[in-house]
């Protein structure tokens, strides 16, 4: 067949690919729409995906972040985490719709709002954030491997920081191997690990619960000034917690393209995300409060806490579970997206395997300074914790405008109708660069930069994800309608 065409199958669209796209610049098989037979993820698979992604070390520390840095009490912090994950369900489920209907990944969907070539800019912004998270999570996983082997061997324990570096590379290779095998291996891993991780979390909550008084812990007052109002601190914390999944609210089509139906993707996300995030953040608060009774000092990092347990057997068991938890988070949240994003740059030269390897090497490069420091080859005051809490969380706040633009483009401008063939063609109905999308993105980013550097409009940065998403959406809607009024709109489908 020489000419490609979309084919409607029930509520879905497939693409019958002809030589026009196969020989074109912007198509490869890994970025192509999924076939209906490949859309096998039901609501429980999608719920398991979120359980696997939400149970990780950064989630465990969220309660402490809100109490220490945002001036909230324990009770206020836990309520904020729950509300934030209910709020973030809106962009997650809305941006998942086109992925489910058309079977397209995040970079291809961006071609509608930013242009065929222009989509690479937001793709790379999202991809670099994911590579940073990949490096950080791999550092946590490498530490777990090192502590597990140290509990089994005194000679390994004597390696110290060098053992952590070796553990990093072992964990790095495990992550790369899972994603190279494709979506089914990720689905299998998440479905297998989800019930196991939840069971372990419940067990830890029961174990630590005997060491603390829940009523006393929840009654601990906030550390903000007595005269300070609650709402400013609350909305600052809420914005940070929404920003935690700002990345996935963009690239959720990378997973929803495998959903069996819109109902499955919506239901699965509602089941899997808010309660898991709330439960594991609450577990972190309880375990941290119980740590003085357990190990004699306050420890807010679960890996370090478990590593202090005076029982090699339980250390090994716990570290195996942490390794599984971190792999399930890392592969889905931090490898899939940049793999697709890098492919979007040059689909004819970068396939899934090359995209995975490129993601791995960028993540390795971003963590190289920390690895050299652990190996004793470099001295640096910059810590992984500061990179996690400052640069990555701040950078994620810039992703709000992209989420708003994507939602408005698909639901209000395109009316949920995409020209599937043109998304892969330089001669279709989508421009190479959609300047409307860039205007709507750059204006909120400029306001954010002004707020950070001058203090003027400081509220715009303080509530960055919300202000960015809303302003980006409004500007795009106005500009896109103005552009359509000046030209004949392309025919959908």
């Amino acid at each position: 067949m020489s000419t490609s065409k979309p084919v409607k199958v029930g509520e879905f669209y497939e693409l019958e690919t002809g030589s026009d796209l196969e020989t074109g610049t912007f198509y490869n098989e890994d970025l192509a729409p999924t076939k209906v037979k490949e859309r096998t993820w039901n609501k429980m698979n999608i719920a398991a995906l979120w359980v696997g992604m939400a149970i990780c070390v950064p989630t465990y520390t969220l309660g402490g972040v809100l109490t220490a840095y945002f001036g909230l009490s324990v009770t206020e912090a836990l309520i904020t985490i729950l509300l934030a994950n209910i709020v973030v369900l809106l962009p997650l489920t809305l941006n998942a719709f086109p992925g489910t209907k058309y079977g397209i990944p995040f970079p291809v969907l961006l071609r509608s709002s930013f242009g065929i070539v222009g989509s690479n800019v937001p793709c790379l912004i999202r991809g670099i954030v994911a590579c940073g998270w990949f490096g950080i999570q791999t550092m946590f996983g490498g530490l777990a491997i090192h502590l597990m082997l140290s509990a089994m061997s005194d000679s390994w324990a004597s390696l110290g920081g060098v053992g952590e570096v070796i553990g990093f590379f072992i964990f790095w290779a495990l992550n790369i191997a899972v994603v190279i095998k494709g979506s089914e291996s990720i689905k299998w891993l998440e479905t297998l690990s989800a019930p196991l991780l939840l069971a372990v979390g419940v067990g830890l909550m029961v174990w630590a619960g005997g060491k603390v008084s829940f009523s006393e812990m929840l009654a601990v007052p906030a550390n903000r000034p007595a005269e300070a109002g609650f709402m400013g601190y609350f909305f600052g914390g809420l914005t940070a917690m929404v920003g935690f999944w700002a990345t996935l609210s963009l690239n959720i089509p990378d997973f929803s393209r495998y959903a069996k139906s819109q109902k499955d993707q919506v239901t699965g996300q509602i089941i899997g995300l808010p309660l898991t995030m709330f439960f594991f953040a609450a577990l972190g608060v309880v375990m941290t409060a119980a740590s003085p009774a357990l190990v004699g000092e306050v420890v807010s990092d679960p890996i370090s806490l478990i590593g202090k347990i005076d029982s090699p057997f339980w250390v090994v068991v716990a570290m195996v579970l942490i390794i599984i938890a971190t792999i399930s988070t890392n592969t889905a949240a931090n490898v899939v997206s940049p793999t697709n994003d890098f492919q979007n740059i040059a689909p004819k030269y970068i396939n899934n395997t090359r995209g995975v390897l490129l993601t791995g090497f960028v993540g390795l490069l971003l963590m190289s300074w920390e690895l050299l420091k652990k190996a004793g080859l470099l001295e640096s005051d910059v810590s992984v914790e500061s990179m996690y809490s400052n640069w990555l969380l701040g950078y994620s706040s810039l992703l709000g405008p992209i989420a708003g633009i994507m939602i408005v483009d698909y639901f209000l401008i395109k009316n949920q109708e995409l020209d599937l063939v043109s998304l892969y063609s330089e001669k279709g109905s989508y421009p190479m660069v959609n300047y409307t999308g860039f205007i709507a993105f750059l204006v909120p980013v400029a306001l954010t930069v002004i707020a950070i550097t001058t203090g003027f409009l400081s509220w715009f940065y303080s509530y960055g994800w919300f202000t960015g998403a809303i302003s980006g959406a409004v500007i795009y809607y106005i500009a896109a309608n103005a552009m359509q009024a000046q030209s004949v709109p392309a025919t959908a489908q």
Side-chain angles (χ1 to χ4, degrees), residues 113-114 118 121-122 125 398-403 405 433-451 460 467-469 471-473 475-476 479:
S113 51
F114 284 87
V121 174
I125 291 172
L398 299 178
L399 302 179
I402 302 175
I405 290 167
V433 176
N434 184 356
Y435 293 102
T436 304
F438 280 96
I439 292 170
F441 172 66
L442 291 174
V443 170
V445 169
L447 291 174
T448 300
V449 172
I450 291 171
F460 196 90
T467 54
S471 59
I475 294 170
Y476 187 81

Side-chain angles (χ1 to χ4, degrees), residues 51-383:
V51 171
M53 289 195 293
I55 296 181
C56 60
V57 174
T59 302
Y60 182 100
T61 64
L62 289 181
V65 169
L66 288 177
T67 55
Y69 297 104
F70 288 90
L72 300 178
S73 69
V74 170
T75 301
E76 291 167 351
L78 294 178
I79 292 173
T80 301
I81 291 168
L82 179 61
L83 289 177
N85 285 281
I86 293 173
V87 169
V88 84
L89 277 174
L90 180 62
L92 277 166
T93 53
L94 290 178
N95 278 330
F97 266 79
T100 302
K101 181 176 180 178
Y102 291 96
I104 53 176
F106 166 64
V108 175
L109 176 59
L110 274 181
R111 294 174 181 180
S112 173
S113 51
F114 284 87
I116 304 298
V117 175
S119 62
N120 285 306
V121 174
C123 276
L124 287 177
I125 291 172
R126 168 65 181 102
I128 296 301
V129 172
C131 289
W133 280 115
F134 171 73
I136 287 176
Q137 293 277 15
T138 303
M139 195 67 71
F140 288 138
L143 174 60
I145 288 176
H146 169 66
L147 292 175
M148 179 186 72
L149 295 176
S150 295
M152 299 167 64
S153 167
D154 291 337
S155 59
W156 185 278
S158 66
L159 292 175
V162 173
E164 292 186 40
V165 173
I166 297 173
F168 176 95
F169 283 102
I170 294 173
F171 191 80
W172 184 94
L174 290 172
N175 282 265
I176 297 301
V178 169
V179 185
I180 282 179
K181 290 183 178 180
S183 63
E184 284 300 306
S185 66
I186 296 174
K187 172 186 170 184
W188 176 85
L189 174 66
E190 303 293 344
T191 303
L192 175 69
S193 63
L196 177 64
L197 297 176
L198 287 174
V200 171
V202 172
L204 287 173
M205 185 72 83
V206 172
W207 175 56
K211 308 293 183 181
V212 295
S213 167
F214 288 112
S215 58
E216 291 180 5
M217 183 181 64
L218 294 175
V220 173
N223 66 357
R224 60 182 178 268
E227 69 279 4
F230 164 71
M231 296 307 294
Y233 287 86
F234 165 72
F235 279 112
L238 184 72
T239 301
M241 294 304 100
V242 170
F244 189 83
W245 287 122
T247 50
L248 265 295
S249 70
L250 301 184
N251 76 285
I252 190 64
D254 290 334
F255 300 103
S256 67
R257 64 194 294 230
Y258 297 103
K260 295 177 71 173
S261 68
Q262 298 289 8
K263 182 179 179 180
D264 280 298
Q265 69 91 356
V266 172
T267 305
Q269 295 199 83
I270 292 173
I271 294 172
L273 176 59
L275 292 180
T276 305
M277 286 289 292
F278 175 80
F279 168 69
F280 207 64
L283 175 64
V285 171
V286 172
M287 292 293 291
T288 301
S291 59
L294 297 173
V295 298
E297 60 180 297
V298 176
V299 181
S300 58
D301 170 13
I303 298 177
S304 300
L305 175 62
I306 293 170
K308 294 179 180 293
I309 296 175
D310 189 21
S311 170
F313 172 77
W314 287 112
V315 169
V316 170
V317 172
M319 290 305 163
V320 168
L321 295 173
I322 286 177
I323 290 167
I324 293 173
T326 310
I327 289 177
S328 66
T329 298
N330 221 14
T331 52
N334 303 322
V335 182
V336 171
S337 177
T339 294
N340 289 336
D341 297 337
F342 291 139
Q343 287 187 75
N344 195 61
I345 298 172
K348 293 304 179 187
Y349 300 98
I350 305 176
N351 58 13
N352 182 72
T353 298
R354 291 174 180 172
V356 172
L357 292 174
L358 188 55
T359 298
F361 285 119
V362 173
L364 174 61
L365 180 64
L366 291 174
M367 285 291 106
S368 59
W369 54 274
E370 181 67 14
L371 294 172
L372 291 172
K373 189 167 68 173
K374 289 183 179 295
L377 301 175
L378 177 70
E379 291 187 6
S380 172
D381 294 331
V382 179
S383 66

Side-chain angles (χ1 to χ4, degrees), residues 384-471:
V384 173
E385 289 77 13
S386 66
M387 183 180 180
Y388 153 59
S389 61
N390 295 324
W391 182 73
L392 280 177
L393 287 179
Y395 197 37
S396 295
S397 70
L398 299 178
L399 302 179
I402 302 175
I405 290 167
M406 290 172 65
I407 293 169
V408 168
D409 179 72
Y410 181 69
F411 286 96
L412 301 182
I413 303 302
K414 303 302 193 305
N415 295 313
Q416 302 184 58
E417 300 293 336
L418 298 175
D419 185 339
L420 199 54
V421 175
S422 291
L423 287 173
Y424 296 89
S425 173
E426 60 267 40
K427 300 178 181 178
S429 58
Y430 301 107
M432 290 294 100
V433 176
N434 184 356
Y435 293 102
T436 304
F438 280 96
I439 292 170
F441 172 66
L442 291 174
V443 170
V445 169
L447 291 174
T448 300
V449 172
I450 291 171
I452 294 173
T453 56
T454 68
F456 179 66
L457 296 176
S458 60
W459 57 270
F460 196 90
Y461 174 69
S462 298
Y463 311 127
W465 192 90
F466 291 101
T467 54
I470 293 170
S471 59

